[in-house]
Amino acid sequence: MLYGKMILAYLRARCQYMKNFISSILAALPYQLTSFLVLWGVFSAFGGMGDWSYLDVLFLGVLLNIISGCANGFFKQFRFLENEIISGNLDVYLTRPRSVIFQLAAHEIDLFSIFGTVIPNLLIGLFCFGRMDILWTPRKILFLGEVILFGTLFYGAVFFFIGTLSFWFYRTNHTAMTLFYSVQDFVNYPLNIYGRGISFFLTFLFPLAFVNYYPLLSLKSGRLFPVEIAMALILLAAAGIDFLLWRAGLKRYQSAGS
């Protein structure tokens, strides 16, 4: 498989600087631990968040971090499509027989996100796994895998949307990603602590709550199918929007060549 071969080639190149890579991963671990200690401090000071326990809210953050880490690991390069457009490197992708989207996806993997974010949060998630008020079954474990896959693809669609905006607006990545991560902060906590406006926005307009909040509610209630349907519809809508924006952007794109 071509994608696998391209990724293996990239990994071999990164392994040439193994000491630097390992030191970067170790430097990131205290940050992951600190964020959860802060959450513990909040619960110690205020006593809880309604009927949500510390482990429930901790698992919300863990799930969000795993998804964010996977998305940055595999789709981060979509965010930086503006660099390819501005530099003219997009012409190189366009002249190759493979699709541009495939080439961007296979360009590199952010190992720092995988090992520095995903792995530590998986370990914390395993700590929560047997201590939460959830009766785990094979069906629920499979559902959890579906949620991680959905969230990763949804984040990838958001990254691609942000990158495609560069056909119309230059140097928007930093501003757009700052806005996106500011919105993401809301779903680190249960949605029912906010007002109706925020809940409506994160459910229907920008359905980020389906990345962790609604799936966790489903795991606690046992009603998984409605959320699975919602996740599928959200991905279809996101893919459709990205496809239309991409096609419009390519029509507008002016080659760097003469």
Side-chain angles (χ1 to χ4, degrees):
M1 186 178 179
L2 181 59
Y3 178 79
K5 291 179 179 179
M6 294 177 70
I7 293 302
L8 285 175
Y10 172 75
L11 292 178
R12 284 196 295 268
R14 289 300 303 266
C15 287
Q16 300 300 316
Y17 305 94
M18 184 58 68
K19 291 182 179 179
N20 179 64
F21 172 69
I22 292 175
S23 62
S24 298
I25 297 302
L26 293 176
L29 295 180
Y31 170 78
Q32 299 296 329
L33 181 61
T34 299
S35 62
F36 298 117
L37 289 176
V38 170
L39 179 61
W40 179 81
V42 170
F43 269 80
S44 298
F46 297 101
M49 294 184 181
D51 57 350
W52 287 74
S53 69
Y54 170 72
L55 287 177
D56 289 338
V57 181
L58 178 61
F59 197 73
L60 278 179
V62 163
L63 195 53
L64 188 65
N65 287 339
I66 290 173
I67 289 169
S68 178
C70 287
N72 277 294
F74 293 101
F75 300 123
K76 184 178 181 179
Q77 54 273 28
F78 288 163
R79 291 165 39 191
F80 298 102
L81 180 61
E82 65 178 17
N83 294 336
E84 309 299 333
I85 295 173
I86 294 172
S87 65
N89 287 337
L90 185 61
D91 292 354
V92 178
Y93 294 113
L94 290 170
T95 56
R96 291 172 178 167
R98 295 286 177 175
S99 73
V100 177
I101 296 174
F102 172 84
Q103 294 179 68
L104 286 171
H107 181 64
E108 66 175 297
I109 289 181
D110 186 354
L111 295 177
F112 180 79
S113 293
I114 300 297
F115 288 93
T117 302
V118 176
I119 301 300
N121 279 277
L122 279 175
L123 295 176
I124 297 171
L126 289 174
F127 169 80
C128 299
F129 200 79
R131 295 171 173 82
M132 298 174 64
D133 187 23
I134 295 176
L135 179 60
W136 292 102
T137 63
R139 174 74 174 88
K140 288 185 177 180
I141 295 173
L142 177 62
F143 174 76
L144 191 58
E146 293 173 355
V147 170
I148 293 174
L149 178 61
F150 158 76
T152 301
L153 294 176
F154 179 71
Y155 267 58
V158 172
F159 293 169
F160 190 74
F161 178 87
I162 291 172
T164 307
L165 289 178
S166 301
F167 285 115
W168 290 270
F169 310 102
Y170 292 144
R171 298 301 181 190
T172 58
N173 173 67
H174 178 73
T175 301
M177 288 307 302
T178 299
L179 179 61
F180 172 66
Y181 283 125
S182 296
V183 174
Q184 177 190 263
D185 287 340
F186 284 103
V187 292
N188 270 307
Y189 303 98
L191 214 59
N192 58 0
I193 70 172
Y194 304 115
R196 291 183 178 179
I198 292 176
S199 297
F200 181 84
F201 176 77
L202 293 173
T203 300
F204 298 104
L205 301 182
F206 185 55
L208 197 59
F210 284 92
V211 167
N212 62 348
Y213 175 71
Y214 288 116
L216 184 52
L217 285 181
S218 295
L219 287 170
K220 292 167 74 71
S221 68
R223 299 178 67 247
L224 309 180
F225 187 67
V227 173
E228 287 177 321
I229 294 297
M231 292 191 300
L233 292 175
I234 289 167
L235 281 184
L236 285 174
I241 292 170
D242 279 354
F243 176 76
L244 293 175
L245 194 65
W246 172 251
R247 291 292 298 272
L250 285 180
K251 289 180 181 178
R252 188 180 187 279
Y253 176 68
Q254 295 180 350
S255 172
S258 57

